[in-house]
Amino acid sequence: MSQFGPDYVRAIAPYQAGKPIAEVAREFGLDEASIVKLASNENPFGVPESSKRAMAEAAAELGRYPDANGFELKAALSRRYDVPADWITLGNGSNDILEIAAHAFVQKGESVVFSEYSFAVYALATQGVGGRGIVVPARDYGHDLDAMLAAIAPDTKLVYIANPNNPTGTFIPAATIEAFLAKVPANVVVVLDEAYNEYLKPEDQFESAQWVRKYPNLIVSRTFSKAYGLAGLRVGFAIAQPVVTDLMNRIRQPFNVNSLAQAAAIAALNDKEFLAKGAKNNFEGYAQLTAAFDELGLEYVPSHGNFVLVRVGQDDGAGARVNLALLKQGVIVRPVGAYGLPQWLRISIGLPEENAVFVEALKKALA
Ligand SMILES: *Cc1c(COP(=O)(O)O)cnc(C)c1O
């Protein structure tokens, strides 16, 4: 072990990202064009045309620093969510928001509460500031908010909630979350991470951004990486009252969201057709994948996101084994052994033809 750095940094297990297409092509001797990647919950339609046009225009000004305050993007978000612009913090992806929250609100040795099987970055952000993660056992693969409330310790400064959750796809209805928020001690900041919010069915949607008016300790986090198709650009944002927002802005790097990303995000935010097309594809793709799982007799967790967690075997080698068999056929999905789910794989919902390629490959992998 090296002598450099604090022990809590040396103890961090690095984030495992989905394998890039080029890497799988090299490793397995495959043609890149033939590879199907359903591993990182990206939008299968890619970047919206409206964002491409906005970026082409913004490219002319790349010699200058981006707007450090993201004036226009914040103005657009302020209109969309009906909150003042100074309640918004922009992030280099919402991952940045999660990290900024840990840096702004947690000191070394203090605790952070999050759920078992929730997003890996919560543990990483906690460890990065020398915090102590309190991992609350999941209930039916989702957050057990009663247990999370009970787990809040005197030194707890932050709670992370993913809704819908990644990698399990579970969803907590509005009333349950609000009842939780009403009971959380006022000195504990709650990050409500809604990376998949735009994929919710209309009847499940609710305006969490408006809860921020009522709860000064609430941060609502959103991203342009999933439904908006801008994962490679890295744009996310947080909505919180000015006291919390001001603290986050002290930690935030001044130019954390680049100019192309700001321009593309504004265009995407106004591109209702793109979102609608993505939502329709997602509902249909979910039906396509889960019908195949039913046919194969595979258990899956009902999902509210753009991915499905499926159990591919009853032994702890199953996830890795089936994943390798899929990779050899040029299909990249996400093993979730690192989440404590070694019998499962997480499949992002793709285009109909991509889902079909995956299903055929899965049948061979299981045979
Ligand atoms: C994908 C994801 C994010 C963040 O992605 P960014 O690209 O950093 O915005 C945040 N939370 C959850 C639960 C996610 O799945």
Side-chain angles (χ1 to χ4, degrees), residues 55-71:
M55 283 191 283
E57 217 168 287
E61 291 299 318
L62 279 177
R64 304 209 179 270
Y65 278 100
D67 176 355
N69 286 315
F71 179 84

Side-chain angles (χ1 to χ4, degrees), residues 261-344:
Q262 292 187 32
I266 294 168
L269 192 65
N270 294 319
D271 195 337
K272 296 218 165 67
E273 273 172 40
F274 184 81
L275 268 197
K277 180 173 78 168
K280 181 171 181 286
N281 180 73
N282 199 59
F283 292 134
E284 291 169 2
Y286 180 75
Q288 184 185 2
L289 290 180
T290 53
F293 297 153
D294 286 336
E295 190 194 318
L296 291 166
L298 298 178
E299 182 187 353
Y300 58 89
V301 180
S303 175
H304 294 78
N306 64 342
F307 55 89
V308 193
L309 187 70
V310 60
R311 189 178 222 149
V312 292
Q314 306 299 320
D315 64 285
D316 287 352
R321 187 173 61 240
V322 175
N323 181 56
L324 182 63
L326 289 170
L327 283 173
K328 287 179 178 163
Q329 300 176 74
V331 176
I332 315 175
V333 299
R334 180 67 69 90
V336 282
Y339 282 89
L341 295 163
Q343 304 179 359
W344 302 72

Side-chain angles (χ1 to χ4, degrees), residues 93-95 98 119 122 162 166 193 195-196 223 225-226 234-235:
S94 60
N95 196 117
L98 305 175
F119 192 38
Y122 306 155
N166 172 21
D193 175 1
Y196 302 95
T223 183
S225 297
K226 309 285 162 53
R234 318 303 302 126
V235 206

Side-chain angles (χ1 to χ4, degrees), residues 31-51:
D31 175 13
E32 276 191 32
S34 73
I35 289 176
V36 167
K37 183 181 180 219
L38 302 174
S40 301
N41 301 345
E42 294 145 342
N43 192 313
F45 293 107
V47 179
E49 291 304 320
S50 55
S51 294

